[in-house]
Amino acid sequence: MDTTTSTTLDEVKQLMRMAVGDEKHDVSAHSTLNILWVLYDRVLRYVPDNPEAKERDRFLLSKGHGPLALYAILAAKGFFSTTELERFGTWEGILGGHPDRQQVPGVEISTGSLGHGLPMAVGVALALRAKKGEQRVFVLIGDGECNEGSIWEAVMLAGQLNLANLTCILVNNHSSLYNFSDLETKFSAFHWQTTNVDGRNHEQLYQALSMTATTQPHVIIADIAR
């Protein structure tokens, strides 16, 4: 699947500046930017002209607030016109404060309420495995989102089902109200393969995102320094 473009990360940052009106979520959007860039530029298999291509990998943004980084990258990769970013949050535009799969090409699930994306990713991964597909499923969650019980129910189930086609990217920007201490140990206890990376280091992210597990789901804990 051809996913190559000449777009650079700096150009994506310029695209993000075209969308205004959701400045309160700027920190949330920028905390995911490097991760999403590496994923879409070097790892994920997709067809911009055919967003629902059967052979595509799936990316689910569970952390659905602050989606501007995802919007900018989807526009840069050709899923829709970059001019849509100028209409962000308007009645005429397709880009809202939370991503809508019915409106935005390339968006797999509609999200916003935290704690939903990982359980849905488990279902997607299980369905693809049942169809004997080779597609991978990636889902991005936040450390604050781990306050939701549905996250840990999904973690437990994925480990028990040995969903090796599932990769969870946990953005740890130290925003949780609770101290989760060692997240790596917690996921390991539920039979997940774990990797810790610097959430802004592109090579570390690439190596972690490229890893394919044999029997276990994989969590990448991407630390974003405050």
Side-chain angles (χ1 to χ4, degrees), residues 58-184:
R58 272 60 163 182
F59 171 70
L60 285 62
L61 182 67
S62 185
K63 186 182 175 186
H65 57 290
L68 283 183
L70 176 61
Y71 289 162
I73 289 172
L74 289 176
K77 295 299 184 181
F79 283 88
F80 51 83
S81 171
T82 58
T83 59
E84 277 294 338
L85 292 161
E86 298 176 334
R87 305 199 303 171
F88 170 75
T90 67
W91 181 260
E92 298 82 11
I94 63 173
L95 307 178
H98 294 160
D100 184 341
R101 68 178 300 272
Q102 300 291 340
Q103 296 289 327
V104 187
V107 168
E108 297 284 352
I109 58 171
S110 302
T111 52
S113 297
L114 299 180
H116 291 179
L118 183 54
M120 294 172 76
V122 169
V124 173
L126 186 60
L128 289 172
R129 188 174 72 176
K131 294 178 180 179
K132 302 187 184 304
E134 296 182 357
Q135 303 94 326
R136 299 180 65 192
V137 180
F138 298 85
V139 57
L140 188 148
I141 68 175
D143 63 316
E145 190 173 4
C146 291
N147 296 343
E148 304 291 342
S150 54
I151 292 292
W152 297 106
E153 291 176 353
V155 168
M156 179 175 60
L157 180 60
Q160 289 294 318
L161 294 175
N162 298 317
L163 288 179
N165 59 342
L166 174 64
T167 296
C168 175
I169 308 156
L170 197 168
V171 179
N172 186 6
N173 58 9
H174 310 279
S175 63
S176 174
L177 296 175
Y178 301 99
N179 180 8
F180 285 107
S181 185
D182 188 350
L183 284 165
E184 184 176 10

Side-chain angles (χ1 to χ4, degrees), residues 28-57:
S28 178
H30 281 87
S31 72
T32 66
L33 177 58
N34 289 281
I35 297 164
L36 295 181
W37 173 251
V38 174
L39 182 64
Y40 274 86
D41 197 55
R42 302 173 66 181
V43 179
L44 202 68
R45 297 177 299 170
Y46 55 86
V47 183
D49 293 337
N50 183 15
E52 296 188 5
K54 182 180 179 180
E55 66 271 27
R56 76 191 186 281
D57 292 328

